[in-house]
Amino acid sequence: MLGRCGRDRGLGTCAPCDFMETGLVRRFGLHDEEYSFELCQKPLSLGNLSIDHWWMQVTSLYSQRRRISATAHNHSEILRLYWAAVKNENATAFRDAQERYLLASLVPYVRAEGSRTVFADAILARGRRSERLEQLAILERSLAADRERSLSREEFHERSWAALGRQRFPVEVEEAYRQLSREVLDGPSSALACGDAAAALMSVQQLWSRQMRSIGRRSGNVLEKLALDVLSYESRAAFHHCYSVTWCGLIPLLQLEDRWTEAACVFHRFWHTDLMDSQSGTSLFHGHIFGLHPATALFMQTTTGPELLGEWLANPVSAELFGRVLNGLLIAIFDYHQRRELAAEQRPRRRVQGTGDLEAVERTQHERQRGQRRR
């Protein structure tokens, strides 16, 4: 389905400390249209296995601080490629595809903190170096002590939601959610069905902004605000699906261009796509991507975490080894949950790192680019 691939290293910089390259541009074509993505790359050691790890910077994806980053290039290209793929499959009349595209386009405008009352994914404060080293040591001990345990997909799915997901909603929220969905998505979906994607995107953003002004920024309206939060969560999940579609196109191109091993391909599919059960259609990680969720960052800095991945990638058909990876990730998720709870206790009048998240990441990146912040 995907065609020509090209590379431009003109924007790249190399950090001598870990040989990381940023700003690597990859281009490919689909039906006479060109799509480009800005990527980062560095060597990654996974126990006895070494691969090149490619990823997209989070600040190029969500576009939630547009005063600093006027455009999030990868976000817009991911949307454009996703809808092109839908058209290529003759699926533009399918309501699921329409809603996914529309919701994904709303990511820069949704209630980011509200979505985290449904499923937590806030980036926690880094803290002092000594604190980070202690956190890393604690997680490493937990992983090493339980590295032989193996989880099924079902166990991981249930227990990860128990750690990060909201357990209950008032029953009245369902009707408020349905009403909100109809008001925000019905008209733009009709525009998509008629082939006018630009009008659909403009319409859905206007309708969402109207709901935010009338509900999200006023006191009261508790049920309606919860419905906004759920739709905000679904917006992020929809974007992650589109992100997965992009990586399904990028992986074979990078494999060809950079001579990836099969282990590298399996790792990137695992790390950068929303893993869906082939029979039930259930998302393993509730619409999230392992490579984008902050709970996995510390996992990759330990000794045992990458070793578990390397052992599985050496034998990717082993359900036992895959289950050990899932168990390790679940340990990291519960570690993240505990740190998040501790942060909440230390900041009783604030949401957990509510002002940090993507704004802090983009602010730090901007300061570094201007030479205002030490690395």
Side-chain angles (χ1 to χ4, degrees):
M1 181 178 72
L2 301 173
R4 179 175 56 87
C5 176
R7 171 165 55 183
D8 180 0
R9 293 183 180 268
L11 299 176
T13 59
C14 180
C17 59
D18 59 3
F19 303 102
M20 182 177 76
E21 293 183 275
T22 63
L24 303 177
V25 179
R26 288 303 178 92
R27 299 180 174 89
F28 58 79
L30 174 64
H31 294 292
D32 299 324
E33 289 289 331
E34 185 177 78
Y35 303 86
S36 67
F37 299 93
E38 296 175 359
L39 306 174
C40 304
Q41 179 269 334
K42 70 175 181 181
L44 178 63
S45 177
L46 301 172
N48 295 326
L49 182 69
S50 295
I51 64 172
D52 284 339
H53 180 199
W54 292 73
W55 73 97
M56 297 183 187
Q57 289 186 328
V58 68
T59 50
S60 73
L61 297 173
Y62 296 101
S63 188
Q64 289 181 307
R65 190 175 173 83
R66 285 163 294 139
R67 286 178 297 173
I68 286 178
S69 180
T71 59
H73 174 78
N74 284 344
H75 177 269
S76 59
E77 287 293 272
I78 286 169
L79 285 179
R80 201 163 68 90
L81 176 61
Y82 173 73
W83 194 243
V86 170
K87 290 192 288 187
N88 185 56
E89 298 294 332
N90 296 316
T92 56
F94 287 85
R95 180 67 180 232
D96 284 349
Q98 295 169 354
E99 291 191 355
R100 189 173 288 125
Y101 177 62
L102 294 169
L103 286 170
S105 75
L106 289 177
V107 162
Y109 313 104
V110 298
R111 290 161 59 92
E113 289 302 314
S115 74
R116 295 181 183 106
T117 66
V118 181
F119 194 83
D121 69 343
I123 297 173
L124 305 181
R126 285 172 54 84
R128 296 189 297 272
R129 184 174 184 272
S130 60
E131 294 174 338
R132 299 198 302 272
L133 291 175
E134 182 180 2
Q135 292 167 358
L136 185 61
I138 292 171
L139 178 57
E140 169 58 29
R141 288 195 294 269
S142 298
L143 290 169
D146 206 29
R147 67 178 297 156
E148 301 298 320
R149 184 188 297 271
S150 183
L151 293 181
S152 68
R153 292 177 61 106
E154 293 76 15
E155 288 172 318
F156 177 86
H157 180 81
E158 292 174 3
R159 295 180 65 185
S160 59
W161 182 268
L164 302 178
R166 183 184 177 112
Q167 300 306 306
R168 296 182 182 87
F169 279 99
V171 294
E172 299 85 358
V173 172
E174 185 172 350
E175 180 52 40
Y177 166 78
R178 289 176 179 171
Q179 179 64 27
L180 176 65
S181 297
R182 289 192 294 267
E183 292 178 2
V184 172
L185 299 174
D186 280 1
S189 293
S190 297
L192 279 179
C194 294
D196 197 341
L201 293 181
M202 181 179 298
S203 175
V204 76
Q205 291 170 14
Q206 292 173 345
L207 291 167
W208 178 261
S209 296
R210 185 182 306 164
Q211 295 294 335
M212 287 289 290
R213 288 193 300 270
S214 62
I215 298 174
R217 297 170 187 169
R218 296 183 181 181
S219 60
N221 301 313
V222 175
L223 294 179
E224 289 79 5
K225 285 182 179 178
L226 284 174
L228 283 175
D229 292 345
V230 174
L231 210 60
S232 295
Y233 161 72
E234 292 194 351
S235 172
R236 293 170 77 87
F239 179 71
H240 291 154
H241 181 89
C242 300
Y243 175 89
S244 298
V245 170
T246 295
W247 274 99
C248 287
L250 281 172
I251 288 170
L253 293 174
L254 290 167
Q255 179 186 19
L256 178 64
E257 184 78 12
D258 288 86
R259 299 179 181 179
W260 279 7
T261 63
E262 182 59 26
C265 295
V266 173
F267 169 79
H268 284 84
R269 282 195 293 268
F270 177 72
W271 209 242
H272 289 311
T273 66
D274 182 11
L275 303 175
M276 309 288 289
D277 185 270
S278 58
Q279 295 182 342
S280 67
T282 301
S283 169
L284 175 65
F285 197 32
H286 313 284
H288 281 262
I289 304 292
F290 286 124
L292 297 179
H293 197 283
T296 66
L298 211 58
F299 174 86
M300 293 300 288
Q301 296 175 40
T302 64
T303 298
T304 301
E307 285 180 352
L308 290 171
L309 277 166
E311 290 167 4
W312 167 58
L313 292 172
N315 185 14
V317 298
S318 171
E320 172 70 19
L321 294 177
F322 180 67
R324 292 181 185 180
V325 173
L326 293 183
N327 182 65
L329 288 170
L330 186 67
I331 291 172
I333 286 169
F334 273 98
D335 174 81
Y336 167 83
H337 169 73
Q338 292 172 351
R339 289 187 286 116
R340 185 174 180 273
E341 292 297 306
L342 180 60
E345 293 174 3
Q346 294 173 344
R347 298 177 177 85
R349 297 184 180 180
R350 298 173 57 189
R351 293 182 183 265
V352 179
Q353 194 58 18
T355 58
D357 192 39
L358 296 174
E359 287 86 350
V361 175
E362 292 195 359
R363 188 181 300 112
T364 299
Q365 184 183 45
H366 182 63
E367 290 171 352
R368 284 176 175 172
Q369 290 172 349
R370 296 179 57 186
Q372 296 175 341
R373 188 182 184 93
R374 293 181 60 189
R375 296 178 184 272

